[in-house]
Each structure stands twice: as C-alpha cells, then as structure tokens.
Amino acid sequence: MKIAILGYGTVGKGLVEMIDSNKGKRNIEIASILVRDKNKYKSSKYEHLITEDIEEVFNKEFDILVELIGGLNPAYKYIKRALESKINVVTANKDMLAEYGDKLVKIAKENNVSLRFEASVGGGIPVLKPLIESLEGNLIESMYAILNGTTNYILSKMYDENLSYEEVLKEAQELGFAEANPESDVQGYDAARKLSILSTLAYDRRVYWKDFYLEGISNIDRKDIYYAKKLGCKIKLVGQSKLNDKKVSGFVRPVLVDNNSLLSRIDNEYNIVVFNVDSVGEVSFVGKGAGKEPTGSAAYADVIDIFDKRVCNIDSFTKEKIEVEKIINHNCEALLRFKSPKKDKIIELINDCVYEHEVIDSNEEELAVMVSVDSEHEINNVLCFINNKGYCKECTRLIIII
Ligand code: NAP
Ligand code: HSE
C-alpha cells in the first residue's frame, strides 16, 4: 500500500501521524511528500521523502495521491494528472470539490479510479460516507449545519470570554483551524462550499456554492453578543438548505440560535450536520470540524477505504445544476439594529409595515428592534423604505432560528 502526499501542513502531518500510529495494523508506505519549502522540514523524520518537485512525486510508483495542499491551483492540475494516470485520489480540498467536483468525478469515472474527500466536510466527522451509503434509499428533505470550525471557535470565544474578533481569529490560525486565507472562513465561503458538497450528494443534483445566500461573521461585534445574551440566544454561522420540488433554497449566515437548541450546544471548533430524512426523521453528526488529528483521521479512513476496494457513488456531482433560492420564504423573526437613526420615524414605519415588533434597546447611538415577519421580503421592503426616506443608512439584521 503506497501513497504520495501533496502538502505537509496541518492535515498532512495529521495523516502521517495516523499512518505511523497504525503501523502493524495497516502498513501504508509513503513514497514522497510534496511541499513548497523543504528547508522547513530539515530535521523532520521524513526529510528523506520530502521534495519541492512534483515530477519527483510522479516519477515514483504509488497507488493513491493524497492532495492536502489546498486551493485550486496547482492542486487541480495535480489531481487531474493523477486521475488521468489511473491513480486514485484522496483530498481534503472543499474549494476544489465545490468548484470542479463535476469535472473531477467525470475524469475519475472515465479512468475507473476512486476520488474520496471525507475530510473536506466536517473535519473528523464521518458524514459523507453515512450520507452516501447508510442513508441510501432515503429522501433527504433538508439539512442545517455548523460547518466551519474557525468561525464557531471565534463566536464561542467572543461569547464566553468576551474576547474581540481579531484576537480570537489569530488564536484559531495558530491552532491550525483557519484556511491559508482566513477570508474563506470568516466570509462564509468555506461553509458554503461544504454545504454545497453535502447538498449535491443529498439532493442528487449539483448545487453550486455561490448560489446560496452568503454572509460571513466579520461584522459581528460585541453589541451583537450583548443582544444575543439578552435574548437568551447564541450567535452561530449556520448553513441551511432545503429541497423544494425543482429548486433548492439555502443560505450560510450568522443567526441567533436559542440557548435550548441543539445548535447552541456546538461550541469551539466542533461542527454539526443535521439531515431531515423521510423515513428516519432527524439524523445528526457532531464532532471536531477542524485541526490536525480529526482531519488526518478522515483522510486516513479514505485511504483505507480505497485499499480495501470500498467504492462509493458520487455521481451527483455530474448531474445538472439546480436553481437555488436565497430568500427565507416563510415566517421568521429577526433582530434589526439601526445605527444613528431617526428612531421615532423608524418605529412608526415598522409599526405600519410589520405584523409584530418589540423594541429591545433604544439609545443615542442605536435602535434595536425584534420583528416578526411572514418572509424575509418584508424585512427587505421595510429596510428599503427606511433607507429611501433617509431615516438611517446603516442597518444590520440577525435572523433567529429556534
Ligand atoms: P496548511 O497547513 O497551510 O498546509 C499546506 C501544505 O501544502 C504545506 O505543507 C505547504 O508547503 C504545501 N503547499 C502549499 N502550496 C503548495 C504548492 N503550490 N506546491 C507544493 N506544496 C504546497 O494547510 P492545511 O490546513 O493542512 O489544509 C490542507 C487542505 O486541507 C486544504 O484544502 C484545507 O482546506 C483542507 N482542510 C483543512 C483542515 C484544517 O483543519 N486545517 C480541515 C479540513 C480540510 P510548506 O509546508 O512548504 O508551506
Ligand atoms: N478552515 C476550516 C474550518 C478547516 O475552520 O472549518 C476545516 O475544513
């Protein structure tokens, strides 16, 4: 059993440690390890296998290429080359699957080799395999999830320890949770890519990540946390998608979750995925969504599955793209915050347009109102009126999920 590994960072090291600790049980030989700068690995145990030259990697014999570099380029080129050379591929790269999953699955099929990517969603949580195999034959109607460890870690620390966004982001990077470019985490792109992978497999149609409503956590401030506590809630970056006949609706956005809800109990780098399944009801998967050991474990399991010739059907990636609705089209509640507003005018307008509202805070600096609406369109209309009348230029909203 011989593999070549591209990338020896957080996940690469996690995988190699897992291979080492399982020697005797499963003997996996490492043919080579590709890195950008081999000087960093001078005294490493595997220094003799480390190279900066991809040709050196492909010149050796191996059965599986494990891609743990990240990003689209040159990772796409390397994965494509391996598949076309009839070499199986394991990857943790959700950017790649979300963008080029259709092309890569097609190439893998044409060449009769496997492409596995358990580590790309939910870190160490085995979720793709149960979704593809154990829930086969069921109709997945909807899902909701916390899919990004970095942002969940940041929001948890802001809530529990009153730390600032910037301080905690730095900590999450040091712990190896964040992407090379943490914009992907904090702007919600990473969670949207993972939600698109899950939705594609669950609904058997290609769901493209950029089609979801997408909002990150970079604007969440201490005052949002203050309101969340006052309302008996936490703030979480949540992904949700639902199959509605010929369309999917979905979003990734920060939301208020009730302190008694399942989502509110998922803190730090932990992730959760909950599927609503026709014959089983709610099925949930919880665990560490980022970090060396959890992700190394998921990549290791993929390698073993390929060696043990367990195949899984990922044809959904090659299916037609399905339309995605971004707006919440049902009853919802939201906290609206208006900065430097004409307070009385805004309350008057909200009173005229919205079914139910409650003022949560009203001071010199801002007005915070909880509204109850039939759909998010109503909120958009009120905010449009307020903006056009010049009552307030800056408003933020946080939807509540029970
Ligand atoms: P990382 O710590 O930044 O490591 C990346 C590794 O790839 C480094 O060894 C780097 O070399 C090497 N590399 C980068 N660009 C390269 C290039 N052009 N040519 C050759 N080598 C290159 O990243 P990571 O956190 O392990 O993430 C790897 C992948 O796993 C990404 O797709 C990420 O999204 C995904 N993932 C990460 C986690 C997590 O918790 N970190 C969890 C799930 C999935 P140097 O060492 O020389 O810089
Ligand atoms: N940056 C990602 C996260 C790594 O924080 O969830 C795991 O995919």
mmCIF file with all atom_site columns, all heavy atoms in Angstrom, residues 94 147-150 177-179 185 190 194 289-290, ligand 2:
data_model
loop_
_atom_site.group_PDB
_atom_site.id
_atom_site.type_symbol
_atom_site.label_atom_id
_atom_site.label_alt_id
_atom_site.label_comp_id
_atom_site.label_asym_id
_atom_site.label_entity_id
_atom_site.label_seq_id
_atom_site.pdbx_PDB_ins_code
_atom_site.Cartn_x
_atom_site.Cartn_y
_atom_site.Cartn_z
_atom_site.occupancy
_atom_site.B_iso_or_equiv
_atom_site.pdbx_formal_charge
_atom_site.auth_seq_id
_atom_site.auth_comp_id
_atom_site.auth_asym_id
_atom_site.auth_atom_id
_atom_site.pdbx_PDB_model_num
ATOM   1   N N   . LYS A 1 94  ? -12.128 21.249 -0.082 1.00 0.00 ? 94  LYS A N   1
ATOM   2   C CA  . LYS A 1 94  ? -13.534 21.580 -0.412 1.00 0.00 ? 94  LYS A CA  1
ATOM   3   C C   . LYS A 1 94  ? -13.647 22.655 -1.470 1.00 0.00 ? 94  LYS A C   1
ATOM   4   O O   . LYS A 1 94  ? -14.609 22.674 -2.248 1.00 0.00 ? 94  LYS A O   1
ATOM   5   C CB  . LYS A 1 94  ? -14.324 21.971 0.839  1.00 0.00 ? 94  LYS A CB  1
ATOM   6   C CG  . LYS A 1 94  ? -13.684 23.035 1.719  1.00 0.00 ? 94  LYS A CG  1
ATOM   7   C CD  . LYS A 1 94  ? -12.788 22.420 2.755  1.00 0.00 ? 94  LYS A CD  1
ATOM   8   C CE  . LYS A 1 94  ? -11.858 23.413 3.364  1.00 0.00 ? 94  LYS A CE  1
ATOM   9   N NZ  . LYS A 1 94  ? -11.558 23.202 4.748  1.00 0.00 ? 94  LYS A NZ  1
ATOM   10  N N   . LEU A 1 147 ? -20.643 24.392 9.914  1.00 0.00 ? 147 LEU A N   1
ATOM   11  C CA  . LEU A 1 147 ? -19.677 23.703 9.056  1.00 0.00 ? 147 LEU A CA  1
ATOM   12  C C   . LEU A 1 147 ? -18.295 24.333 9.058  1.00 0.00 ? 147 LEU A C   1
ATOM   13  O O   . LEU A 1 147 ? -17.439 23.916 8.282  1.00 0.00 ? 147 LEU A O   1
ATOM   14  C CB  . LEU A 1 147 ? -20.205 23.675 7.620  1.00 0.00 ? 147 LEU A CB  1
ATOM   15  C CG  . LEU A 1 147 ? -21.396 22.742 7.384  1.00 0.00 ? 147 LEU A CG  1
ATOM   16  C CD1 . LEU A 1 147 ? -22.048 23.018 6.050  1.00 0.00 ? 147 LEU A CD1 1
ATOM   17  C CD2 . LEU A 1 147 ? -20.940 21.287 7.458  1.00 0.00 ? 147 LEU A CD2 1
ATOM   18  N N   . ASN A 1 148 ? -18.087 25.339 9.900  1.00 0.00 ? 148 ASN A N   1
ATOM   19  C CA  . ASN A 1 148 ? -16.763 25.948 9.906  1.00 0.00 ? 148 ASN A CA  1
ATOM   20  C C   . ASN A 1 148 ? -16.241 26.068 11.331 1.00 0.00 ? 148 ASN A C   1
ATOM   21  O O   . ASN A 1 148 ? -16.844 26.760 12.168 1.00 0.00 ? 148 ASN A O   1
ATOM   22  C CB  . ASN A 1 148 ? -16.814 27.318 9.216  1.00 0.00 ? 148 ASN A CB  1
ATOM   23  C CG  . ASN A 1 148 ? -15.434 27.941 9.113  1.00 0.00 ? 148 ASN A CG  1
ATOM   24  O OD1 . ASN A 1 148 ? -15.010 28.689 9.979  1.00 0.00 ? 148 ASN A OD1 1
ATOM   25  N ND2 . ASN A 1 148 ? -14.703 27.595 8.068  1.00 0.00 ? 148 ASN A ND2 1
ATOM   26  N N   . GLY A 1 149 ? -15.128 25.373 11.603 1.00 0.00 ? 149 GLY A N   1
ATOM   27  C CA  . GLY A 1 149 ? -14.564 25.342 12.953 1.00 0.00 ? 149 GLY A CA  1
ATOM   28  C C   . GLY A 1 149 ? -14.008 26.696 13.374 1.00 0.00 ? 149 GLY A C   1
ATOM   29  O O   . GLY A 1 149 ? -14.167 27.105 14.531 1.00 0.00 ? 149 GLY A O   1
ATOM   30  N N   . THR A 1 150 ? -13.358 27.379 12.442 1.00 0.00 ? 150 THR A N   1
ATOM   31  C CA  . THR A 1 150 ? -12.731 28.662 12.776 1.00 0.00 ? 150 THR A CA  1
ATOM   32  C C   . THR A 1 150 ? -13.771 29.677 13.267 1.00 0.00 ? 150 THR A C   1
ATOM   33  O O   . THR A 1 150 ? -13.606 30.286 14.323 1.00 0.00 ? 150 THR A O   1
ATOM   34  C CB  . THR A 1 150 ? -12.020 29.228 11.520 1.00 0.00 ? 150 THR A CB  1
ATOM   35  O OG1 . THR A 1 150 ? -11.072 28.265 11.085 1.00 0.00 ? 150 THR A OG1 1
ATOM   36  C CG2 . THR A 1 150 ? -11.342 30.547 11.794 1.00 0.00 ? 150 THR A CG2 1
ATOM   37  N N   . PHE A 1 177 ? -6.775  25.802 12.592 1.00 0.00 ? 177 PHE A N   1
ATOM   38  C CA  . PHE A 1 177 ? -8.160  25.636 12.145 1.00 0.00 ? 177 PHE A CA  1
ATOM   39  C C   . PHE A 1 177 ? -8.432  26.416 10.854 1.00 0.00 ? 177 PHE A C   1
ATOM   40  O O   . PHE A 1 177 ? -9.189  25.971 10.006 1.00 0.00 ? 177 PHE A O   1
ATOM   41  C CB  . PHE A 1 177 ? -9.161  26.140 13.205 1.00 0.00 ? 177 PHE A CB  1
ATOM   42  C CG  . PHE A 1 177 ? -9.060  25.455 14.548 1.00 0.00 ? 177 PHE A CG  1
ATOM   43  C CD1 . PHE A 1 177 ? -9.486  26.088 15.704 1.00 0.00 ? 177 PHE A CD1 1
ATOM   44  C CD2 . PHE A 1 177 ? -8.555  24.164 14.647 1.00 0.00 ? 177 PHE A CD2 1
ATOM   45  C CE1 . PHE A 1 177 ? -9.416  25.468 16.937 1.00 0.00 ? 177 PHE A CE1 1
ATOM   46  C CE2 . PHE A 1 177 ? -8.478  23.530 15.876 1.00 0.00 ? 177 PHE A CE2 1
ATOM   47  C CZ  . PHE A 1 177 ? -8.906  24.186 17.028 1.00 0.00 ? 177 PHE A CZ  1
ATOM   48  N N   . ALA A 1 178 ? -7.804  27.595 10.757 1.00 0.00 ? 178 ALA A N   1
ATOM   49  C CA  . ALA A 1 178 ? -8.172  28.510 9.662  1.00 0.00 ? 178 ALA A CA  1
ATOM   50  C C   . ALA A 1 178 ? -7.543  28.092 8.338  1.00 0.00 ? 178 ALA A C   1
ATOM   51  O O   . ALA A 1 178 ? -6.540  27.377 8.301  1.00 0.00 ? 178 ALA A O   1
ATOM   52  C CB  . ALA A 1 178 ? -7.746  29.923 10.030 1.00 0.00 ? 178 ALA A CB  1
ATOM   53  N N   . GLU A 1 179 ? -8.157  28.545 7.245  1.00 0.00 ? 179 GLU A N   1
ATOM   54  C CA  . GLU A 1 179 ? -7.610  28.321 5.909  1.00 0.00 ? 179 GLU A CA  1
ATOM   55  C C   . GLU A 1 179 ? -6.376  29.209 5.716  1.00 0.00 ? 179 GLU A C   1
ATOM   56  O O   . GLU A 1 179 ? -6.189  30.191 6.446  1.00 0.00 ? 179 GLU A O   1
ATOM   57  C CB  . GLU A 1 179 ? -8.656  28.691 4.851  1.00 0.00 ? 179 GLU A CB  1
ATOM   58  C CG  . GLU A 1 179 ? -9.891  27.827 4.874  1.00 0.00 ? 179 GLU A CG  1
ATOM   59  C CD  . GLU A 1 179 ? -9.580  26.362 4.630  1.00 0.00 ? 179 GLU A CD  1
ATOM   60  O OE1 . GLU A 1 179 ? -9.010  26.033 3.595  1.00 0.00 ? 179 GLU A OE1 1
ATOM   61  O OE2 . GLU A 1 179 ? -9.882  25.533 5.500  1.00 0.00 ? 179 GLU A OE2 1
ATOM   62  N N   . ASP A 1 185 ? -12.921 31.499 5.631  1.00 0.00 ? 185 ASP A N   1
ATOM   63  C CA  . ASP A 1 185 ? -13.647 31.112 6.842  1.00 0.00 ? 185 ASP A CA  1
ATOM   64  C C   . ASP A 1 185 ? -14.620 32.217 7.244  1.00 0.00 ? 185 ASP A C   1
ATOM   65  O O   . ASP A 1 185 ? -15.818 31.970 7.349  1.00 0.00 ? 185 ASP A O   1
ATOM   66  C CB  . ASP A 1 185 ? -12.666 30.867 8.001  1.00 0.00 ? 185 ASP A CB  1
ATOM   67  C CG  . ASP A 1 185 ? -11.701 29.727 7.729  1.00 0.00 ? 185 ASP A CG  1
ATOM   68  O OD1 . ASP A 1 185 ? -12.169 28.592 7.655  1.00 0.00 ? 185 ASP A OD1 1
ATOM   69  O OD2 . ASP A 1 185 ? -10.485 29.983 7.583  1.00 0.00 ? 185 ASP A OD2 1
ATOM   70  N N   . ASP A 1 190 ? -16.099 29.072 2.997  1.00 0.00 ? 190 ASP A N   1
ATOM   71  C CA  . ASP A 1 190 ? -15.751 27.686 3.337  1.00 0.00 ? 190 ASP A CA  1
ATOM   72  C C   . ASP A 1 190 ? -17.005 26.888 3.722  1.00 0.00 ? 190 ASP A C   1
ATOM   73  O O   . ASP A 1 190 ? -17.217 25.772 3.231  1.00 0.00 ? 190 ASP A O   1
ATOM   74  C CB  . ASP A 1 190 ? -14.727 27.701 4.486  1.00 0.00 ? 190 ASP A CB  1
ATOM   75  C CG  . ASP A 1 190 ? -14.302 26.310 4.890  1.00 0.00 ? 190 ASP A CG  1
ATOM   76  O OD1 . ASP A 1 190 ? -13.537 25.688 4.140  1.00 0.00 ? 190 ASP A OD1 1
ATOM   77  O OD2 . ASP A 1 190 ? -14.756 25.835 5.955  1.00 0.00 ? 190 ASP A OD2 1
ATOM   78  N N   . LYS A 1 194 ? -18.826 23.687 1.741  1.00 0.00 ? 194 LYS A N   1
ATOM   79  C CA  . LYS A 1 194 ? -19.160 22.406 2.379  1.00 0.00 ? 194 LYS A CA  1
ATOM   80  C C   . LYS A 1 194 ? -20.657 22.123 2.258  1.00 0.00 ? 194 LYS A C   1
ATOM   81  O O   . LYS A 1 194 ? -21.064 20.980 2.008  1.00 0.00 ? 194 LYS A O   1
ATOM   82  C CB  . LYS A 1 194 ? -18.737 22.438 3.843  1.00 0.00 ? 194 LYS A CB  1
ATOM   83  C CG  . LYS A 1 194 ? -17.218 22.458 4.017  1.00 0.00 ? 194 LYS A CG  1
ATOM   84  C CD  . LYS A 1 194 ? -16.841 22.841 5.439  1.00 0.00 ? 194 LYS A CD  1
ATOM   85  C CE  . LYS A 1 194 ? -15.360 22.798 5.678  1.00 0.00 ? 194 LYS A CE  1
ATOM   86  N NZ  . LYS A 1 194 ? -14.970 23.473 6.926  1.00 0.00 ? 194 LYS A NZ  1
ATOM   87  N N   . GLY A 1 289 ? -14.517 19.718 13.801 1.00 0.00 ? 289 GLY A N   1
ATOM   88  C CA  . GLY A 1 289 ? -14.605 20.068 12.385 1.00 0.00 ? 289 GLY A CA  1
ATOM   89  C C   . GLY A 1 289 ? -13.313 20.574 11.791 1.00 0.00 ? 289 GLY A C   1
ATOM   90  O O   . GLY A 1 289 ? -13.237 20.827 10.588 1.00 0.00 ? 289 GLY A O   1
ATOM   91  N N   . ALA A 1 290 ? -12.283 20.758 12.613 1.00 0.00 ? 290 ALA A N   1
ATOM   92  C CA  . ALA A 1 290 ? -11.008 21.278 12.096 1.00 0.00 ? 290 ALA A CA  1
ATOM   93  C C   . ALA A 1 290 ? -9.880  20.837 13.020 1.00 0.00 ? 290 ALA A C   1
ATOM   94  O O   . ALA A 1 290 ? -10.121 20.416 14.150 1.00 0.00 ? 290 ALA A O   1
ATOM   95  C CB  . ALA A 1 290 ? -11.058 22.801 12.027 1.00 0.00 ? 290 ALA A CB  1
HETATM 96  N N1  . HSE B 2 .   ? -10.871 26.193 7.950  1.00 0.00 ? 2   HSE B N1  1
HETATM 97  C C1  . HSE B 2 .   ? -11.749 25.089 8.101  1.00 0.00 ? 2   HSE B C1  1
HETATM 98  C C2  . HSE B 2 .   ? -12.593 25.293 9.327  1.00 0.00 ? 2   HSE B C2  1
HETATM 99  C C3  . HSE B 2 .   ? -10.951 23.820 8.231  1.00 0.00 ? 2   HSE B C3  1
HETATM 100 O O1  . HSE B 2 .   ? -12.262 26.157 10.139 1.00 0.00 ? 2   HSE B O1  1
HETATM 101 O O2  . HSE B 2 .   ? -13.620 24.628 9.462  1.00 0.00 ? 2   HSE B O2  1
HETATM 102 C C4  . HSE B 2 .   ? -11.810 22.581 8.230  1.00 0.00 ? 2   HSE B C4  1
HETATM 103 O O3  . HSE B 2 .   ? -12.385 22.383 6.969  1.00 0.00 ? 2   HSE B O3  1
#
